[in-house]
Amino acid sequence: MSFNPEQFIREKVSWLRTEVGSERAIAATSGGVDSTVTAILGHRTVGKALTVVFLDDGLMREGEPEEATSMLRAQGLDVELLDVKVEFFQALKAITDPEEKRRAFRETFYQTLGRTVREHGARRLLQGTIAADIVETRGGVKTQHNVLEQIGIAPSVRYGFTVVEPLKELYKPQVREVAKALGLPRAVYERKPFPGPGLAVRVIGEVSPTRIETVRKASKIVEE
């Protein structure tokens, strides 16, 4: 059976109206295709009641926080860029194992978002979890930072919000089709995957601002 992105959009907007209603909500985004599509679907559902949050954790590619937030604002979204570099570098201190880095990143990511959700008087967090994230985490391939309930972590108890995941049954090619159907720029729907914990998992050994900057420059050269 072929995938119909337009039908998916209609069904998910209707589903989000039931899940979120007219309440305030937060959408977590990295500027990647999954989280951007989620934010756009949320915006179509609740409009100005949605705030999109980009965590500048110090682990992104060169210029990425500014470029991503600019792109999202161009789509009419209310975007907040939060500087949380100190918290993430502190959480990753002395950790060398990639899986431990992913778990430390996940905990800091959600603690930070939980605080943001509370500050906005919201109860729901929209995020771009896709099917591959769940399969990889459950299967022990690698920990995806945006998988919680599927591995027994209750976000409402641990972090104080309910997670809403409109894309969790889709794989990346389908998400790209949805992004294109939503009218998002080619740079978004063809965007290459980038690890959730960012450059932290590309650093061999302990993560530090100096090492991240070296990897950031190297990543730019390779991608160009």
Side-chain angles (χ1 to χ4, degrees), residues 59-70:
L59 307 170
M60 306 303 286
R61 288 170 287 195
E62 189 170 311
E64 196 157 30
E66 295 78 16
E67 290 172 9
T69 52
S70 177

Side-chain angles (χ1 to χ4, degrees), residues 32-34 61 172 176 190-196 202 223:
V33 63
D34 305 332
R61 288 170 287 195
K172 187 75 72 176
R176 295 191 191 284
E190 291 188 352
R191 189 176 180 83
K192 294 178 181 178
F194 184 64
R202 293 184 179 176
E223 289 187 5

Side-chain angles (χ1 to χ4, degrees), residues 33-180:
V33 63
D34 305 332
S35 59
T36 299
V37 166
T38 298
I40 295 292
L41 290 174
H43 182 66
R44 288 197 175 189
T45 305
V46 301
K48 293 182 178 179
L50 179 76
T51 298
V52 179
V53 173
F54 186 107
L55 301 182
D56 184 0
D57 52 26
L59 307 170
M60 306 303 286
R61 288 170 287 195
E62 189 170 311
E64 196 157 30
E66 295 78 16
E67 290 172 9
T69 52
S70 177
M71 177 274 294
L72 291 162
R73 286 168 182 150
Q75 299 298 317
L77 302 180
D78 174 23
V79 185
E80 288 189 9
L81 177 60
L82 303 181
D83 186 344
V84 289
K85 300 183 190 74
V86 172
E87 294 173 62
F88 277 86
F89 279 113
Q90 185 61 40
L92 291 164
K93 191 175 180 61
I95 298 176
T96 58
D97 180 74
E99 273 299 285
E100 289 184 24
K101 289 177 184 178
R102 290 178 181 276
R103 287 190 284 270
F105 180 93
R106 178 177 64 197
E107 185 62 25
T108 309
F109 180 79
Y110 283 113
Q111 290 287 356
T112 305
L113 285 173
R115 184 175 67 238
T116 304
V117 169
R118 290 191 297 273
E119 288 171 353
H120 282 271
R123 294 188 301 164
R124 289 173 175 79
L125 176 76
L126 278 65
Q127 64 177 27
T129 310
I130 65 172
D133 298 332
I134 298 168
V135 170
E136 289 176 352
T137 302
R138 280 179 170 170
V141 178
K142 61 181 177 181
T143 298
Q144 294 290 355
H145 75 283
N146 57 351
V147 176
L148 293 174
E149 293 173 302
Q150 295 89 348
I151 58 171
I153 298 174
S156 58
V157 175
R158 191 156 173 173
Y159 306 112
F161 55 75
T162 301
V163 171
V164 181
E165 299 168 314
L167 308 182
K168 65 182 179 181
E169 69 265 35
L170 300 187
Y171 285 88
K172 187 75 72 176
Q174 296 168 315
V175 179
R176 295 191 191 284
E177 288 186 53
V178 174
K180 191 172 182 179

